[in-house]
Short mmCIF file of all heavy atoms in Angstrom, two decimals:
data_model
loop_
_atom_site.label_atom_id
_atom_site.label_comp_id
_atom_site.label_asym_id
_atom_site.label_seq_id
_atom_site.Cartn_x
_atom_site.Cartn_y
_atom_site.Cartn_z
N LYS O 1 33.00 -64.23 97.92
CA LYS O 1 31.98 -63.17 97.92
C LYS O 1 30.74 -63.64 98.62
O LYS O 1 30.01 -62.83 99.15
CB LYS O 1 31.68 -62.74 96.50
CG LYS O 1 32.82 -62.05 95.81
CD LYS O 1 32.43 -61.54 94.46
CE LYS O 1 33.58 -60.83 93.83
NZ LYS O 1 33.27 -60.21 92.58
N VAL O 2 30.50 -64.92 98.62
CA VAL O 2 29.29 -65.45 99.23
C VAL O 2 29.43 -65.46 100.76
O VAL O 2 28.53 -65.11 101.49
CB VAL O 2 28.98 -66.85 98.70
CG1 VAL O 2 27.81 -67.46 99.47
CG2 VAL O 2 28.66 -66.77 97.23
N ALA O 3 30.61 -65.91 101.22
CA ALA O 3 30.83 -66.06 102.68
C ALA O 3 30.60 -64.76 103.49
O ALA O 3 29.92 -64.79 104.51
CB ALA O 3 32.23 -66.61 102.96
N PRO O 4 31.13 -63.61 103.03
CA PRO O 4 30.86 -62.40 103.79
C PRO O 4 29.38 -62.06 103.94
O PRO O 4 28.92 -61.59 104.99
CB PRO O 4 31.60 -61.30 103.01
CG PRO O 4 32.67 -62.01 102.28
CD PRO O 4 32.05 -63.35 101.93
N GLY O 5 28.62 -62.33 102.89
CA GLY O 5 27.17 -62.08 102.97
C GLY O 5 26.49 -63.00 103.97
O GLY O 5 25.60 -62.57 104.71
N ILE O 6 26.91 -64.26 103.97
CA ILE O 6 26.34 -65.21 104.92
C ILE O 6 26.68 -64.78 106.35
O ILE O 6 25.84 -64.80 107.23
CB ILE O 6 26.86 -66.64 104.62
CG1 ILE O 6 26.28 -67.13 103.31
CG2 ILE O 6 26.51 -67.58 105.76
CD1 ILE O 6 26.90 -68.43 102.80
N VAL O 7 27.93 -64.42 106.58
CA VAL O 7 28.36 -63.99 107.90
C VAL O 7 27.57 -62.74 108.37
O VAL O 7 27.12 -62.66 109.49
CB VAL O 7 29.89 -63.71 107.94
CG1 VAL O 7 30.29 -63.02 109.24
CG2 VAL O 7 30.65 -64.99 107.76
N THR O 8 27.37 -61.82 107.47
CA THR O 8 26.58 -60.63 107.79
C THR O 8 25.15 -60.99 108.21
O THR O 8 24.64 -60.49 109.21
CB THR O 8 26.58 -59.65 106.60
OG1 THR O 8 27.93 -59.26 106.33
CG2 THR O 8 25.74 -58.40 106.89
N ARG O 9 24.54 -61.87 107.44
CA ARG O 9 23.16 -62.27 107.77
C ARG O 9 23.12 -63.04 109.09
O ARG O 9 22.20 -62.86 109.90
CB ARG O 9 22.57 -63.10 106.63
CG ARG O 9 22.21 -62.28 105.41
CD ARG O 9 21.36 -63.06 104.42
NE ARG O 9 21.97 -64.27 103.95
CZ ARG O 9 22.82 -64.39 102.94
NH1 ARG O 9 23.20 -63.32 102.28
NH2 ARG O 9 23.29 -65.56 102.59
N LEU O 10 24.10 -63.90 109.33
CA LEU O 10 24.14 -64.63 110.61
C LEU O 10 24.32 -63.71 111.79
O LEU O 10 23.70 -63.88 112.84
CB LEU O 10 25.24 -65.69 110.59
CG LEU O 10 24.99 -66.89 109.72
CD1 LEU O 10 26.25 -67.76 109.65
CD2 LEU O 10 23.82 -67.71 110.23
N ARG O 11 25.15 -62.69 111.63
CA ARG O 11 25.36 -61.72 112.73
C ARG O 11 24.04 -60.95 113.00
O ARG O 11 23.73 -60.71 114.15
CB ARG O 11 26.49 -60.74 112.37
CG ARG O 11 27.84 -61.36 112.51
CD ARG O 11 28.94 -60.38 112.25
NE ARG O 11 30.24 -61.01 112.45
CZ ARG O 11 31.35 -60.63 111.87
NH1 ARG O 11 31.34 -59.59 111.06
NH2 ARG O 11 32.48 -61.25 112.12
N ALA O 12 23.36 -60.57 111.97
CA ALA O 12 22.08 -59.86 112.14
C ALA O 12 21.07 -60.75 112.84
O ALA O 12 20.35 -60.29 113.76
CB ALA O 12 21.56 -59.39 110.79
N GLN O 13 21.03 -62.00 112.44
CA GLN O 13 20.10 -62.93 113.08
C GLN O 13 20.48 -63.14 114.54
O GLN O 13 19.62 -63.20 115.40
CB GLN O 13 20.10 -64.26 112.33
CG GLN O 13 19.07 -65.23 112.82
CD GLN O 13 19.04 -66.47 111.98
OE1 GLN O 13 20.02 -66.88 111.40
NE2 GLN O 13 17.87 -67.11 111.93
N ASN O 14 21.77 -63.22 114.81
CA ASN O 14 22.23 -63.37 116.21
C ASN O 14 21.80 -62.20 117.06
O ASN O 14 21.36 -62.39 118.21
CB ASN O 14 23.76 -63.53 116.21
CG ASN O 14 24.28 -63.80 117.59
OD1 ASN O 14 23.60 -64.36 118.46
ND2 ASN O 14 25.52 -63.42 117.82
N VAL O 15 21.85 -61.00 116.55
CA VAL O 15 21.43 -59.81 117.29
C VAL O 15 19.94 -59.92 117.61
O VAL O 15 19.54 -59.64 118.75
CB VAL O 15 21.73 -58.53 116.49
CG1 VAL O 15 21.03 -57.31 117.13
CG2 VAL O 15 23.24 -58.30 116.40
N ARG O 16 19.13 -60.34 116.67
CA ARG O 16 17.70 -60.49 116.93
C ARG O 16 17.44 -61.48 118.03
O ARG O 16 16.61 -61.25 118.92
CB ARG O 16 16.95 -60.88 115.64
CG ARG O 16 16.85 -59.73 114.64
CD ARG O 16 15.89 -60.08 113.52
NE ARG O 16 16.25 -61.23 112.72
CZ ARG O 16 17.08 -61.22 111.69
NH1 ARG O 16 17.64 -60.07 111.30
NH2 ARG O 16 17.35 -62.33 111.05
N TYR O 17 18.12 -62.62 118.00
CA TYR O 17 17.91 -63.63 119.06
C TYR O 17 18.42 -63.13 120.40
O TYR O 17 17.81 -63.41 121.43
CB TYR O 17 18.61 -64.93 118.66
CG TYR O 17 17.80 -65.77 117.72
CD1 TYR O 17 18.19 -65.88 116.39
CD2 TYR O 17 16.62 -66.40 118.14
CE1 TYR O 17 17.45 -66.65 115.50
CE2 TYR O 17 15.85 -67.12 117.26
CZ TYR O 17 16.28 -67.25 115.95
OH TYR O 17 15.50 -67.97 115.09
N ARG O 18 19.51 -62.40 120.42
CA ARG O 18 20.01 -61.88 121.69
C ARG O 18 19.01 -60.88 122.30
O ARG O 18 18.82 -60.86 123.49
CB ARG O 18 21.37 -61.21 121.49
CG ARG O 18 22.45 -62.24 121.21
CD ARG O 18 23.79 -61.62 120.96
NE ARG O 18 24.26 -61.06 122.24
CZ ARG O 18 25.34 -60.29 122.32
NH1 ARG O 18 26.03 -59.98 121.22
NH2 ARG O 18 25.73 -59.83 123.46
N ILE O 19 18.38 -60.08 121.47
CA ILE O 19 17.35 -59.15 121.95
C ILE O 19 16.16 -59.93 122.50
O ILE O 19 15.66 -59.62 123.59
CB ILE O 19 16.92 -58.17 120.84
CG1 ILE O 19 18.07 -57.22 120.50
CG2 ILE O 19 15.67 -57.40 121.21
CD1 ILE O 19 17.89 -56.40 119.23
N ARG O 20 15.73 -60.97 121.82
CA ARG O 20 14.63 -61.78 122.30
C ARG O 20 14.98 -62.46 123.63
O ARG O 20 14.17 -62.52 124.56
CB ARG O 20 14.25 -62.81 121.27
CG ARG O 20 13.55 -62.23 120.06
CD ARG O 20 13.39 -63.21 118.95
NE ARG O 20 12.21 -64.06 119.17
CZ ARG O 20 11.84 -64.98 118.37
NH1 ARG O 20 12.56 -65.26 117.28
NH2 ARG O 20 10.76 -65.70 118.59
N LEU O 21 16.19 -62.95 123.75
CA LEU O 21 16.62 -63.60 124.99
C LEU O 21 16.73 -62.61 126.13
O LEU O 21 16.48 -62.94 127.28
CB LEU O 21 17.95 -64.31 124.78
CG LEU O 21 17.89 -65.63 124.01
CD1 LEU O 21 19.27 -66.15 123.71
CD2 LEU O 21 17.11 -66.68 124.78
N ALA O 22 17.12 -61.39 125.81
CA ALA O 22 17.30 -60.37 126.85
C ALA O 22 15.96 -60.06 127.55
O ALA O 22 15.98 -59.58 128.70
CB ALA O 22 17.88 -59.07 126.27
N ARG O 23 14.86 -60.32 126.89
CA ARG O 23 13.55 -60.10 127.51
C ARG O 23 13.22 -61.13 128.58
O ARG O 23 12.32 -60.94 129.37
CB ARG O 23 12.48 -60.08 126.44
CG ARG O 23 12.51 -58.87 125.55
CD ARG O 23 11.34 -58.82 124.66
NE ARG O 23 11.67 -59.57 123.44
CZ ARG O 23 10.78 -60.05 122.59
NH1 ARG O 23 9.52 -59.89 122.82
NH2 ARG O 23 11.15 -60.72 121.52
N HIS O 24 13.95 -62.22 128.62
CA HIS O 24 13.76 -63.27 129.63
C HIS O 24 14.65 -62.93 130.86
O HIS O 24 15.86 -63.13 130.81
CB HIS O 24 14.13 -64.66 129.07
CG HIS O 24 13.26 -65.09 127.96
ND1 HIS O 24 12.24 -66.00 128.15
CD2 HIS O 24 13.25 -64.79 126.63
CE1 HIS O 24 11.63 -66.18 127.00
NE2 HIS O 24 12.23 -65.49 126.09
N VAL O 25 14.03 -62.44 131.88
CA VAL O 25 14.73 -61.93 133.05
C VAL O 25 15.68 -63.01 133.67
O VAL O 25 16.77 -62.70 134.05
CB VAL O 25 13.74 -61.41 134.13
CG1 VAL O 25 14.46 -60.95 135.37
CG2 VAL O 25 12.90 -60.31 133.56
N ASP O 26 15.20 -64.21 133.77
CA ASP O 26 15.99 -65.26 134.40
C ASP O 26 16.90 -66.03 133.45
O ASP O 26 17.50 -67.04 133.83
CB ASP O 26 15.08 -66.25 135.12
CG ASP O 26 14.42 -65.62 136.37
OD1 ASP O 26 15.02 -64.73 136.94
OD2 ASP O 26 13.31 -66.09 136.72
N ARG O 27 17.01 -65.57 132.23
CA ARG O 27 17.80 -66.32 131.23
C ARG O 27 19.25 -66.54 131.66
O ARG O 27 19.79 -67.63 131.45
CB ARG O 27 17.73 -65.61 129.88
CG ARG O 27 18.45 -66.36 128.78
CD ARG O 27 17.75 -67.67 128.47
NE ARG O 27 18.71 -68.50 127.69
CZ ARG O 27 18.59 -69.77 127.49
NH1 ARG O 27 17.56 -70.45 127.98
NH2 ARG O 27 19.46 -70.45 126.78
N PRO O 28 19.94 -65.54 132.27
CA PRO O 28 21.33 -65.81 132.66
C PRO O 28 21.47 -67.00 133.63
O PRO O 28 22.48 -67.70 133.58
CB PRO O 28 21.79 -64.51 133.33
CG PRO O 28 20.91 -63.48 132.65
CD PRO O 28 19.58 -64.16 132.44
N LYS O 29 20.43 -67.24 134.45
CA LYS O 29 20.49 -68.37 135.35
C LYS O 29 20.53 -69.69 134.63
O LYS O 29 21.01 -70.68 135.11
CB LYS O 29 19.32 -68.35 136.34
CG LYS O 29 19.36 -67.22 137.35
CD LYS O 29 18.15 -67.26 138.24
CE LYS O 29 18.14 -66.07 139.18
NZ LYS O 29 16.94 -66.06 140.00
N THR O 30 19.98 -69.68 133.42
CA THR O 30 19.94 -70.89 132.58
C THR O 30 21.19 -70.96 131.69
O THR O 30 21.86 -71.98 131.60
CB THR O 30 18.68 -70.90 131.69
OG1 THR O 30 17.55 -70.86 132.54
CG2 THR O 30 18.63 -72.12 130.81
N SER O 31 21.48 -69.84 131.03
CA SER O 31 22.55 -69.86 130.05
C SER O 31 23.96 -69.95 130.61
O SER O 31 24.85 -70.57 130.02
CB SER O 31 22.43 -68.67 129.08
OG SER O 31 22.60 -67.47 129.77
N LEU O 32 24.17 -69.33 131.79
CA LEU O 32 25.53 -69.37 132.36
C LEU O 32 26.00 -70.80 132.62
O LEU O 32 27.08 -71.18 132.15
CB LEU O 32 25.62 -68.52 133.60
CG LEU O 32 27.01 -68.51 134.28
CD1 LEU O 32 28.08 -67.99 133.33
CD2 LEU O 32 26.98 -67.69 135.55
N PRO O 33 25.25 -71.62 133.33
CA PRO O 33 25.70 -73.00 133.53
C PRO O 33 25.84 -73.78 132.19
O PRO O 33 26.75 -74.59 132.06
CB PRO O 33 24.56 -73.63 134.35
CG PRO O 33 23.83 -72.52 134.98
CD PRO O 33 23.98 -71.35 134.04
N GLU O 34 25.02 -73.44 131.20
CA GLU O 34 25.19 -74.09 129.90
C GLU O 34 26.50 -73.71 129.26
O GLU O 34 27.21 -74.56 128.71
CB GLU O 34 23.99 -73.72 128.99
CG GLU O 34 22.67 -74.26 129.45
CD GLU O 34 21.50 -73.69 128.70
OE1 GLU O 34 21.63 -72.74 127.91
OE2 GLU O 34 20.40 -74.22 128.90
N HIS O 35 26.82 -72.42 129.29
CA HIS O 35 28.09 -71.97 128.74
C HIS O 35 29.27 -72.61 129.49
O HIS O 35 30.25 -73.03 128.86
CB HIS O 35 28.19 -70.45 128.77
CG HIS O 35 27.33 -69.78 127.79
ND1 HIS O 35 26.72 -68.57 128.03
CD2 HIS O 35 26.95 -70.12 126.54
CE1 HIS O 35 26.04 -68.20 126.99
NE2 HIS O 35 26.16 -69.12 126.06
N LEU O 36 29.16 -72.62 130.83
CA LEU O 36 30.25 -73.21 131.58
C LEU O 36 30.45 -74.70 131.30
O LEU O 36 31.56 -75.19 131.25
CB LEU O 36 29.98 -73.03 133.09
CG LEU O 36 30.05 -71.56 133.57
CD1 LEU O 36 29.68 -71.45 135.04
CD2 LEU O 36 31.42 -70.94 133.31
N ALA O 37 29.38 -75.42 131.03
CA ALA O 37 29.49 -76.82 130.67
C ALA O 37 30.21 -77.00 129.33
O ALA O 37 31.06 -77.88 129.18
CB ALA O 37 28.09 -77.46 130.59
N VAL O 38 29.94 -76.15 128.38
CA VAL O 38 30.63 -76.17 127.09
C VAL O 38 32.11 -75.88 127.29
O VAL O 38 32.97 -76.61 126.80
CB VAL O 38 30.01 -75.17 126.06
CG1 VAL O 38 30.84 -75.09 124.81
CG2 VAL O 38 28.58 -75.54 125.76
N ILE O 39 32.42 -74.80 128.05
CA ILE O 39 33.81 -74.45 128.30
C ILE O 39 34.57 -75.52 129.02
O ILE O 39 35.72 -75.85 128.66
CB ILE O 39 33.86 -73.10 129.07
CG1 ILE O 39 33.34 -71.95 128.20
CG2 ILE O 39 35.27 -72.82 129.56
CD1 ILE O 39 33.04 -70.68 128.93
N GLU O 40 33.95 -76.10 130.03
CA GLU O 40 34.59 -77.17 130.78
C GLU O 40 34.91 -78.38 129.89
O GLU O 40 35.98 -78.93 129.95
CB GLU O 40 33.73 -77.61 131.95
CG GLU O 40 34.39 -78.70 132.80
CD GLU O 40 33.55 -79.08 134.00
OE1 GLU O 40 32.48 -78.45 134.24
OE2 GLU O 40 33.97 -80.00 134.71
N ALA O 41 33.97 -78.77 129.05
CA ALA O 41 34.19 -79.90 128.16
C ALA O 41 35.32 -79.62 127.19
O ALA O 41 36.19 -80.47 126.94
CB ALA O 41 32.91 -80.26 127.40
N ILE O 42 35.34 -78.41 126.64
CA ILE O 42 36.44 -78.03 125.73
C ILE O 42 37.76 -78.02 126.44
O ILE O 42 38.78 -78.57 125.95
CB ILE O 42 36.15 -76.67 125.05
CG1 ILE O 42 34.96 -76.76 124.12
CG2 ILE O 42 37.36 -76.13 124.32
CD1 ILE O 42 34.42 -75.45 123.62
N THR O 43 37.78 -77.43 127.61
CA THR O 43 39.03 -77.38 128.41
C THR O 43 39.52 -78.77 128.74
O THR O 43 40.75 -79.01 128.73
CB THR O 43 38.76 -76.59 129.74
OG1 THR O 43 38.31 -75.29 129.40
CG2 THR O 43 40.05 -76.49 130.57
N ASN O 44 38.63 -79.70 128.97
CA ASN O 44 39.03 -81.06 129.26
C ASN O 44 39.33 -81.90 128.04
O ASN O 44 39.72 -83.06 128.15
CB ASN O 44 37.91 -81.80 130.06
CG ASN O 44 37.75 -81.24 131.47
OD1 ASN O 44 38.71 -80.68 132.02
ND2 ASN O 44 36.57 -81.38 132.06
N GLY O 45 39.18 -81.29 126.87
CA GLY O 45 39.47 -81.97 125.61
C GLY O 45 38.45 -83.05 125.29
O GLY O 45 38.74 -83.98 124.55
N ASP O 46 37.23 -82.92 125.82
CA ASP O 46 36.18 -83.91 125.63
C ASP O 46 35.22 -83.41 124.55
O ASP O 46 34.24 -82.73 124.82
CB ASP O 46 35.47 -84.14 126.95
CG ASP O 46 34.49 -85.32 126.90
OD1 ASP O 46 34.09 -85.73 125.80
OD2 ASP O 46 34.13 -85.78 127.99
N ALA O 47 35.53 -83.76 123.31
CA ALA O 47 34.74 -83.32 122.19
C ALA O 47 33.28 -83.76 122.26
O ALA O 47 32.37 -82.98 121.93
CB ALA O 47 35.36 -83.78 120.87
N ALA O 48 33.07 -84.99 122.67
CA ALA O 48 31.70 -85.50 122.74
C ALA O 48 30.88 -84.73 123.78
O ALA O 48 29.73 -84.36 123.53
CB ALA O 48 31.70 -87.00 123.08
N ALA O 49 31.49 -84.49 124.95
CA ALA O 49 30.77 -83.72 125.96
C ALA O 49 30.56 -82.27 125.51
O ALA O 49 29.50 -81.69 125.82
CB ALA O 49 31.55 -83.77 127.27
N ALA O 50 31.50 -81.67 124.84
CA ALA O 50 31.36 -80.32 124.32
C ALA O 50 30.21 -80.24 123.31
O ALA O 50 29.39 -79.32 123.34
CB ALA O 50 32.65 -79.83 123.70
N SER O 51 30.16 -81.22 122.44
CA SER O 51 29.10 -81.28 121.44
C SER O 51 27.74 -81.44 122.11
O SER O 51 26.76 -80.77 121.75
CB SER O 51 29.34 -82.43 120.48
OG SER O 51 28.31 -82.54 119.55
N SER O 52 27.68 -82.33 123.08
CA SER O 52 26.43 -82.57 123.81
C SER O 52 25.99 -81.30 124.57
O SER O 52 24.82 -80.93 124.56
CB SER O 52 26.61 -83.72 124.75
OG SER O 52 25.45 -83.94 125.53
N ALA O 53 26.93 -80.66 125.23
CA ALA O 53 26.62 -79.44 126.01
C ALA O 53 26.15 -78.32 125.07
O ALA O 53 25.21 -77.61 125.40
CB ALA O 53 27.82 -79.01 126.84
N MET O 54 26.80 -78.21 123.92
CA MET O 54 26.43 -77.16 122.98
C MET O 54 25.05 -77.45 122.41
O MET O 54 24.23 -76.53 122.24
CB MET O 54 27.46 -77.03 121.86
CG MET O 54 27.34 -75.79 121.02
SD MET O 54 27.66 -74.33 122.02
CE MET O 54 26.52 -73.19 121.31
N SER O 55 24.80 -78.69 122.09
CA SER O 55 23.48 -79.05 121.58
C SER O 55 22.35 -78.76 122.59
O SER O 55 21.32 -78.19 122.25
CB SER O 55 23.44 -80.55 121.22
OG SER O 55 24.27 -80.79 120.12
N ALA O 56 22.63 -79.08 123.85
CA ALA O 56 21.68 -78.80 124.92
C ALA O 56 21.44 -77.28 125.02
O ALA O 56 20.29 -76.82 125.19
CB ALA O 56 22.15 -79.37 126.22
N HIS O 57 22.50 -76.51 124.94
CA HIS O 57 22.39 -75.04 125.01
C HIS O 57 21.55 -74.51 123.85
O HIS O 57 20.65 -73.68 124.06
CB HIS O 57 23.75 -74.42 125.05
CG HIS O 57 23.70 -72.92 124.96
ND1 HIS O 57 23.09 -72.14 125.92
CD2 HIS O 57 24.18 -72.05 124.03
CE1 HIS O 57 23.17 -70.86 125.56
NE2 HIS O 57 23.82 -70.79 124.43
N LEU O 58 21.84 -74.97 122.65
CA LEU O 58 21.09 -74.48 121.50
C LEU O 58 19.63 -74.86 121.55
O LEU O 58 18.76 -74.07 121.17
CB LEU O 58 21.74 -75.01 120.20
CG LEU O 58 23.13 -74.43 119.91
CD1 LEU O 58 23.73 -75.11 118.67
CD2 LEU O 58 23.08 -72.92 119.74
N LEU O 59 19.32 -76.04 122.08
CA LEU O 59 17.91 -76.42 122.24
C LEU O 59 17.26 -75.50 123.30
O LEU O 59 16.08 -75.11 123.12
CB LEU O 59 17.82 -77.89 122.72
CG LEU O 59 18.10 -78.93 121.61
CD1 LEU O 59 18.15 -80.31 122.23
CD2 LEU O 59 17.05 -78.84 120.51
N SER O 60 17.98 -75.16 124.31
CA SER O 60 17.49 -74.26 125.34
C SER O 60 17.19 -72.87 124.76
O SER O 60 16.16 -72.25 125.06
CB SER O 60 18.48 -74.19 126.51
OG SER O 60 18.12 -73.22 127.42
N VAL O 61 18.11 -72.38 123.95
CA VAL O 61 17.95 -71.08 123.29
C VAL O 61 16.73 -71.14 122.36
O VAL O 61 15.90 -70.23 122.33
CB VAL O 61 19.22 -70.67 122.52
CG1 VAL O 61 18.91 -69.48 121.62
CG2 VAL O 61 20.33 -70.34 123.49
N ARG O 62 16.63 -72.24 121.63
CA ARG O 62 15.51 -72.37 120.73
C ARG O 62 14.16 -72.34 121.46
O ARG O 62 13.22 -71.67 121.04
CB ARG O 62 15.63 -73.70 119.93
CG ARG O 62 14.59 -73.88 118.90
CD ARG O 62 14.84 -75.12 118.11
NE ARG O 62 13.84 -75.29 117.08
CZ ARG O 62 13.70 -76.34 116.32
NH1 ARG O 62 14.54 -77.34 116.47
NH2 ARG O 62 12.77 -76.42 115.42
N ALA O 63 14.10 -73.05 122.57
CA ALA O 63 12.88 -73.06 123.37
C ALA O 63 12.57 -71.70 123.93
O ALA O 63 11.40 -71.24 123.96
CB ALA O 63 13.00 -74.09 124.49
N ALA O 64 13.61 -70.98 124.37
CA ALA O 64 13.40 -69.66 124.97
C ALA O 64 12.96 -68.64 123.93
O ALA O 64 12.28 -67.66 124.28
CB ALA O 64 14.70 -69.19 125.66
N THR O 65 13.35 -68.81 122.67
CA THR O 65 13.02 -67.81 121.65
C THR O 65 11.82 -68.25 120.83
O THR O 65 11.46 -67.53 119.87
CB THR O 65 14.23 -67.57 120.73
OG1 THR O 65 14.64 -68.80 120.14
CG2 THR O 65 15.37 -66.92 121.47
N ALA O 66 11.21 -69.33 121.18
CA ALA O 66 10.08 -69.84 120.38
C ALA O 66 8.79 -69.03 120.63
O ALA O 66 7.92 -69.06 119.81
CB ALA O 66 9.79 -71.34 120.74
N ASP O 67 8.74 -68.30 121.69
CA ASP O 67 7.50 -67.53 121.98
C ASP O 67 7.37 -66.30 121.14
O ASP O 67 8.05 -65.87 120.36
CB ASP O 67 7.45 -67.13 123.44
CG ASP O 67 8.68 -66.35 123.95
OD1 ASP O 67 9.57 -66.07 123.11
OD2 ASP O 67 8.75 -66.08 125.15
#
């Protein structure tokens, strides 16, 4: 019973962040290469690189939504 509530709150929070990111006109130029780096690392089976790429992406999102 707890998990569905957490998932619902996380989804709502995700929507808010996506709206904030959408206001950054050049954001796709930043996020696309970040996503591709994560996908490439996963495809190559490189867990360390995938973790590093995802961490870098999340830091980038955090910085972009800090304003």
Side-chain angles (χ1 to χ4, degrees):
K1 293 183 179 186
V2 173
I6 292 171
V7 170
T8 298
R9 287 192 304 274
L10 287 172
R11 285 183 177 155
Q13 187 175 28
N14 185 27
V15 168
R16 287 191 299 274
Y17 280 108
R18 289 178 70 189
I19 290 168
R20 289 170 82 180
L21 284 171
R23 289 187 272 160
H24 295 260
V25 177
D26 290 333
R27 184 65 196 164
K29 291 179 185 177
T30 301
S31 63
L32 179 59
E34 293 170 351
H35 287 146
L36 293 176
V38 173
I39 292 166
E40 182 177 356
I42 292 170
T43 301
N44 291 336
D46 189 341
S51 177
S52 178
M54 193 66 215
S55 292
H57 173 61
L58 292 175
L59 287 173
S60 173
V61 169
R62 184 176 181 187
T65 57
D67 55 4

